[in-house]
């Protein structure tokens, strides 16, 4: 479903299209700026596997007027900027795959503790929401200091055993969050490689956890 927008912006360089995309849980909205600077909008279902694999890419293809199976011409697109609420919705609704969180030994409760924000500061009985990030947590014997110095070298053997247990229990996703990995990412990378080698379908990415 395409809509014309009655406004004109600065012309893109080199006769290219620019796109801004908002992908939600139900619909994906695409705004395209033509080479002449005019804007057009397009709305389509975020999930429609019978028609297309990815709504954002399909929205771009539709606005470019491409036939089914026709590749997007090189140099036709200048910029694509995209925002999405899919991950936020999954957290709010407690949906998504069960996840194993691998974190530095001694910090399994860091996400649950958070910033200790207390909406009712004098309440004696604090009720906290369940963990929306992971189904279970495993502490990895490793430690990197804030300056990137290795205080305790990574021990992969227990990690391998835990990954095997998680797989047997049906856990399909893994999150890797090590202390100060932005200074020394090798520990995260080694665990990520181990997870990928054991089962490439479960591995997605490692994340930098600053503390």
């Amino acid at each position: 479903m395409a809509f014309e927008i009655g406004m004109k912006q600065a012309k893109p360089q080199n006769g290219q299209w620019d796109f801004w995309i908002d992908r939600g849980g139900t619909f994906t909205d695409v705004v395209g700026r033509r080479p002449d600077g005019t804007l057009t909008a397009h709305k389509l279902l975020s999930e429609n596997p019978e028609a297309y694999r990815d709504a954002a890419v399909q929205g771009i293809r539709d606005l470019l007027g491409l036939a089914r199976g026709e590749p997007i011409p090189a140099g036709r697109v200048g910029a694509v900027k995209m925002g999405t609420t899919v991950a936020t919705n999954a957290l709010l609704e407690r949906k998504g795959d069960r996840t194993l969180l691998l974190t530095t030994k001694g910090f399994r409760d860091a996400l649950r503790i958070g910033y200790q924000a207390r909406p009712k500061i004098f309440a004696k009985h604090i009720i906290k929401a369940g963990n929306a990030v992971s189904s279970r947590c495993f502490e990895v014997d490793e430690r990197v200091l804030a300056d990137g110095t290795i205080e305790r070298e990574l021990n992969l053997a227990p990690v391998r055993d835990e990954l095997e247990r998680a797989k047997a229990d049906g856990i399909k996703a893994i999150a890797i969050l090590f202390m100060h990995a932005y200074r020394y990412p090798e520990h995260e990378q080694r665990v990520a490689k181990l997870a990928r080698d054991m089962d490439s379908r479960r591995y997605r990415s490692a994340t930098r956890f600053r503390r």
Side-chain angles (χ1 to χ4, degrees), residues 74 96 211:
R211 187 76 176 177

Side-chain angles (χ1 to χ4, degrees), residues 37-127:
T38 57
L39 301 179
T40 182
H42 185 42
K43 180 185 287 287
L44 63 166
L45 291 171
S46 294
E47 297 292 338
N48 191 0
E50 293 81 9
Y52 44 79
R53 293 178 59 186
D54 183 87
V57 173
Q58 186 62 38
I60 292 174
R61 295 178 57 83
D62 290 345
L63 291 183
L64 290 177
L66 301 177
R68 186 181 182 89
E70 183 181 356
I72 297 176
R76 189 86 181 274
V77 178
V80 177
K81 298 182 179 180
M82 181 171 173
T84 178
T85 59
V86 173
T88 303
N89 290 344
L91 288 174
L92 293 175
E93 298 170 7
R94 302 296 195 270
K95 293 181 178 179
D97 286 333
R98 295 173 62 203
T99 302
L100 170 66
L101 173 62
L102 301 175
T103 192
T104 301
K105 187 174 183 179
F107 291 88
R108 66 178 303 123
D109 296 319
L111 291 177
R112 181 169 177 80
I113 293 171
Y115 296 104
Q116 297 202 36
R118 298 180 63 178
K120 298 180 180 179
I121 193 168
F122 297 110
K124 296 181 179 180
H125 181 51
I126 308 298
I127 301 176

Side-chain angles (χ1 to χ4, degrees), residues 167 172-173 195-196 198-204:
K167 182 178 180 180
K172 298 180 180 179
R196 188 188 303 112
M198 292 177 66
D199 189 348
S200 60
R201 294 171 300 175
R202 291 195 300 165
Y203 173 74
R204 290 299 178 266

Side-chain angles (χ1 to χ4, degrees), residues 14 29-30 33 37 41 44 63-64 87-88 94 123 132 137 139 143-144 149 156 158 172 187 193-195:
N14 304 321
D29 295 286
V30 182
R33 182 170 62 188
L44 63 166
L63 291 183
L64 290 177
T88 303
R94 302 296 195 270
C137 179
E139 294 182 318
R143 185 62 191 271
V144 174
T149 303
L156 276 179
K172 298 180 180 179
H187 283 182
K193 183 179 185 302
L194 174 64

